[in-house]
């Protein structure tokens, strides 16, 4: 490896995880290699051994995010045996946030910010986050319905993050059932 | 005013507008008073005359955003005479983006990023952006329906921003009608 130092994938992954945590907590605006080094208890030089520059460290942290983001969502959707079960998974997912998911919302928000002006970051959002969620939803719903459900869930998560009160479970239930029913009747008329 | 120099509200507003443009184009991560000064063709010192520090300039730019954000949306919703017209306004708004709205999406995204860790920025999102959209929607829809429509529209805007292709108008139409119908039947059963 570079400079003949043996590569340590475990250490590289730990640095990515620390960088991602730093991004979620403090935002890209405050992000520095030095800050990550301090938090990880290593020298800045040992970070530049694994990552060429700040941008590479940031993108690598976001790749980690897309590998782990929404695993509950996708895994639980895949585990749902019926469409009714899938609908319950969606409702639970939206109304029962945990601390980890709040941290994830903040990290995703930073990825969105970068993606607004960096095509590689935009591709991560589109080809990983969006594509994974869409694929999991399409196990149970048609493509346009999956698209609409994905949008609704994204918007509800956003709203929830700005408000201390939890979302109204009745509203969430009515909205998700409403979309599913609307796309079902569409299938009915076009069949 | 400070240092006895006459205050010029016009100049202050122009600096806010330039700062907002800078934030939308380059992101908070690249934001500096010097960068705004260069773009505005003034000295950094003349910015610090109007704004105590970088954070005040940023918050002031975001306040400008919330004063002007989504005017078409709210104005057009208020102008809609019937609920069917309001529904058409929503559909048009989601499927026909213009360049200004893309710039706005980027600026809002930066505000969201700041709002994730700054309570004043979070309050701007909640008490201005969200509250204004919700109030306009509630001219035509019940509160839970307005809530769900707001979430769906937010999510569709987000999806659209990551994809070159326009949204499928049929999907948008079905989704918006689906939510309205679902909350209507709720009213029916509870009445």
């Amino acid at each position: 490896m570079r400079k003949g130092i043996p590569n340590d994938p475990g250490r590289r992954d730990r640095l990515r995880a620390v960088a991602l945590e730093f991004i979620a907590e403090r935002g890209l605006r405050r992000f520095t290699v030095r800050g990550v080094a301090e938090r990880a208890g290593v020298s800045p030089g040992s970070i530049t051994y694994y990552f060429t520059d700040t941008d590479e460290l940031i993108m690598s942290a976001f790749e980690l995010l897309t590998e782990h983001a929404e695993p509950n969502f996708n895994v639980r959707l895949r585990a749902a045996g019926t469409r009714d079960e899938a609908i319950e998974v969606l409702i639970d997912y939206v109304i029962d946030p945990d601390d980890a998911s709040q941290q994830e919302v903040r990290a995703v928000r930073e990825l969105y910010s970068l993606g607004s002006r960096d095509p590689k970051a935009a591709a991560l959002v589109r080809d990983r986050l969006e594509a994974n969620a869409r694929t999991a939803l399409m196990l149970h719903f048609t493509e346009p319905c999956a698209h609409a459900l994905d949008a609704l869930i994204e918007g509800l998560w956003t709203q929830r993050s700005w408000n201390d009160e939890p979302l109204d479970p009745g509203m969430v239930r009515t909205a998700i059932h409403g979309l599913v029913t609307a796309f079902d009747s569409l299938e009915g008329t076009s069949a």
Side-chain angles (χ1 to χ4, degrees), chain A:
Chain A
M1 308 282 139
R2 256 187 286 174
K3 295 179 197 167
I5 307 171
N7 207 341
D8 176 355
R11 183 164 209 190
R12 189 173 190 278
D13 281 348
R14 281 193 301 280
L15 291 173
R16 293 167 82 196
V18 171
L20 183 59
E21 193 184 275
F22 192 101
I23 291 169
E25 283 174 22
R26 308 219 47 212
L28 286 174
R29 191 175 159 219
R30 307 287 183 204
F31 187 89
T32 58
V33 167
R34 178 168 297 275
V36 174
E38 273 169 26
R39 188 177 284 235
V42 302
S43 71
S46 75
I47 292 187
T48 52
Y49 169 71
Y50 291 101
F51 304 94
T52 316
D53 55 21
T54 311
D55 287 349
E56 191 192 326
L57 177 56
I58 289 171
M59 277 306 288
S60 187
F62 281 136
E63 277 162 19
L64 182 69
L65 172 69
T66 64
E67 287 157 23
H68 293 274
E70 307 181 6
N72 289 332
F73 181 67
N74 296 346
V75 168
R76 285 169 60 197
L77 271 183
R78 272 191 288 272
T82 66
R83 213 160 67 143
D84 283 346
E85 280 176 34
I87 291 173
E88 294 305 313
V89 166
L90 297 181
I91 294 169
D92 283 355
Y93 179 74
V94 172
I95 62 183
D96 273 340
D98 54 30
D99 286 346
S101 66
Q102 288 302 301
Q103 183 86 340
E104 188 184 308
V105 165
R106 280 192 290 269
V108 168
R109 206 159 267 165
E110 295 302 306
L111 173 57
Y112 282 8
S113 157
L114 189 62
S116 295
R117 46 195 73 79
D118 177 328
K120 276 197 292 185
L124 269 188
V125 177
R126 197 177 48 239
D127 304 334
R128 300 267 192 92
L129 289 185
E130 272 203 350
N132 291 349
R134 210 70 64 83
T135 304
L137 284 164
M138 285 173 63
L139 294 173
H140 303 283
F141 308 100
T142 62
E143 185 170 359
C145 185
H147 197 138
L149 285 170
D150 189 31
L152 176 70
I153 291 166
E154 165 112 34
L156 289 171
W157 268 63
T158 303
Q159 289 180 350
R160 196 189 59 197
S161 71
W162 303 122
N163 294 280
D164 291 332
E165 314 95 83
L167 292 170
D168 169 7
M171 181 276 291
V172 171
R173 183 170 290 278
T174 303
I176 289 177
H177 276 286
L179 288 185
V180 172
T181 305
F183 285 93
D184 271 355
S185 13
L186 202 68
E187 288 301 293
T189 54
S190 68

